[in-house]
Structure formats: C-alpha cells, structure tokens
Amino acid sequence: MSFEEFLKEEEQKDYYKNLMDKINEEYKNNICYPEYNNIFNALKATEFKNIKVVILGQDPYHEPNQAHGLAFSVLCEKLPPSLKNIYKEMESDLNIKINQDGNLDYLAKQGVLLLNTLLSVRKGEAFSHKGLGWETFTDNVIKYINKLDQPIVFLLWGSPAQSKMKYLNNPKHLIITSAHPSPLSAYRGFFGSKPFSKTNEFLIKNGVTPIKWYKWGKSVNVNSYTKNVYLFLFKIFSYIMRV
C-alpha cells in the first residue's frame, strides 16, 4: 500500500475524472490555491507506511503566499490566525517556546499527514471548492489509511474533519476531536484540548517514537525540564531499537 497506488486507483474512477475536470477549469479561469502542482503535497510529503498522525483540517488558506499543500502550513512570514492558535496551544500543552516560522513540513517528514478535507480553494473565497468532489476524494484517503495495521492518531479539528469519523473503525487507532483552531471557534474547545501531548502519550504507549512538535534552533527557547524529558524519551527509544 502506498499513496502512489492509491492515486492510481482513484484516477480510474468517474468521480475523480469529473473532479479534476472542474479543478482544471477553476485554475484556468480563477486564481486558486495552492499552486496547481502543490495540490497533492500532503500525500507526497508523508510516506504512507510511516504515518503516525493525521491532522485533518477544512480547506486551504485562501490568501496569496499562504497555502502550499500541507494543512495549516505556510511559507510566508505572516502567520494566519488558525496557525497562530495552533502554536499557542502547542506551547501551552508542551510547556515550550516554539520557533513559529509557519512551515510545518518538519512534521510531515516525521509521519504527520497534514490533510485538508478540501484540497483547493479560490482566492478570497473560503469553501469555494466545496461540492466539486474533494469530499469523496478525502473520504477515500481516510478509508485507505484506516486499513493501516499500526498505531495512528487522528486529530479531527472542526465539523468538516469530524464528518470523516464514521470511516474510522480500526481498534489500533486513536481519534481526538476538538473545535477548529480558527479564532471563531478556538475558545470553544480547541484551547486546552492538549492534542499534542495526548498524541505522544498514545504513541509512546504503543511503542512508537513520539513526534517532535517543535524545531530546535537559535530562536527556540525551550524549558530545560521539558527538553530533558524529551531527550530522555528519545534515548529510551533509540536503545529499544538497538536491542
């Protein structure tokens, strides 16, 4: 199983052909995000067999120089409010100070699939590509991942993400739901939900190396106790892998 195999299967289906016809027309006649070649970045950045966590959002950011195919991640210096709130909860949950550069590809490389329920959007129009067929596509992505016989945490943020919960029935997986990190809903259940520590607790309990949610760097000021705890955990896992 791989995302390459998954995409080949989907490409043969009528819904997918209709979807891509509509998307091609949208990109031809409107400014859309992310760039066309980055639409499937989430499936390229995280290797299927290495998935540990799935963070499921809504649709891509719809302003210039933001979306690049990974849910919630940006390449620009100005952070969208939702991403600011994610960093805020991350710092509170883990008691650390995070280097907030916006690019979350370091998480994707660790096995965190950063997936939106819709993979494209028209400039300045949130949910403008709703109903084109992305819902079916991402339903099938979730169903495909559900078959993986390994511990995986699903972080479902917001109603569109939680609508996928009906496709998740693998007893080896953990589902954590909360409000979306948008300023409109973050105070209604996202803040204080502690998704990052809960995720690592589950992974550790199941013998999986935890996610390093932060980047080390000159601008990162990490609580020394927290840093020592994480370094200790990584040493334990390194030792176990050698035994």
Side-chain angles (χ1 to χ4, degrees), residues 96-115:
I96 57 176
K97 188 67 177 176
I98 301 229
N99 183 349
Q100 302 185 11
D101 67 4
N103 190 349
L104 303 181
D105 67 344
Y106 71 100
L107 296 179
K109 293 174 182 177
Q110 294 182 70
V112 180
L113 180 66
L114 299 165
L115 184 70

Side-chain angles (χ1 to χ4, degrees), residues 141-157:
V141 172
I142 296 301
K143 292 175 186 176
Y144 196 69
I145 298 172
N146 186 60
K147 298 176 184 178
L148 269 176
D149 189 34
Q150 63 197 49
I152 297 175
V153 180
F154 289 83
L155 301 180
L156 309 182
W157 295 342

Side-chain angles (χ1 to χ4, degrees), residues 25 39 43 50 82 91 105 129 135 150 152 186 190 193 204 211 216 222 229:
E25 193 69 16
I39 289 176
L43 305 187
N50 293 336
S82 293
E91 291 184 341
D105 67 344
H129 286 178
E135 296 88 344
Q150 63 197 49
I152 297 175
F190 178 74
S193 61
I204 291 170
I211 302 299
W216 298 112
V222 181
V229 168

Side-chain angles (χ1 to χ4, degrees), residues 43-173:
L43 305 187
K44 299 174 183 177
T46 302
E47 191 171 355
F48 181 75
K49 67 180 181 180
N50 293 336
I51 293 176
K52 299 178 184 179
V53 183
V54 177
I55 294 181
L56 198 56
Q58 297 184 164
D59 66 338
Y61 298 124
H62 51 78
E63 297 301 331
N65 304 314
Q66 291 184 332
H68 64 111
L70 303 181
F72 299 106
S73 181
V74 295
L75 299 179
C76 58
E77 293 183 3
K78 185 178 180 180
L79 303 183
S82 293
L83 183 53
K84 288 182 180 179
N85 287 339
I86 290 171
Y87 280 134
K88 184 176 180 179
E89 176 62 18
M90 199 179 287
E91 291 184 341
S92 173
D93 183 7
L94 304 176
N95 192 29
I96 57 176
K97 188 67 177 176
I98 301 229
N99 183 349
Q100 302 185 11
D101 67 4
N103 190 349
L104 303 181
D105 67 344
Y106 71 100
L107 296 179
K109 293 174 182 177
Q110 294 182 70
V112 180
L113 180 66
L114 299 165
L115 184 70
N116 280 311
T117 55
L118 308 178
L119 300 193
S120 62
V121 67
R122 199 179 301 152
K123 178 183 178 182
E125 300 180 42
F127 290 106
S128 52
H129 286 178
K130 182 178 180 180
L132 298 185
W134 283 130
E135 296 88 344
T136 301
F137 179 82
T138 51
D139 282 352
N140 292 346
V141 172
I142 296 301
K143 292 175 186 176
Y144 196 69
I145 298 172
N146 186 60
K147 298 176 184 178
L148 269 176
D149 189 34
Q150 63 197 49
I152 297 175
V153 180
F154 289 83
L155 301 180
L156 309 182
W157 295 342
S159 298
Q162 290 163 25
S163 70
K164 309 290 188 186
M165 194 159 42
K166 58 181 175 288
Y167 303 121
L168 300 173
N169 57 14
N170 191 321
K172 290 194 174 182
H173 300 167

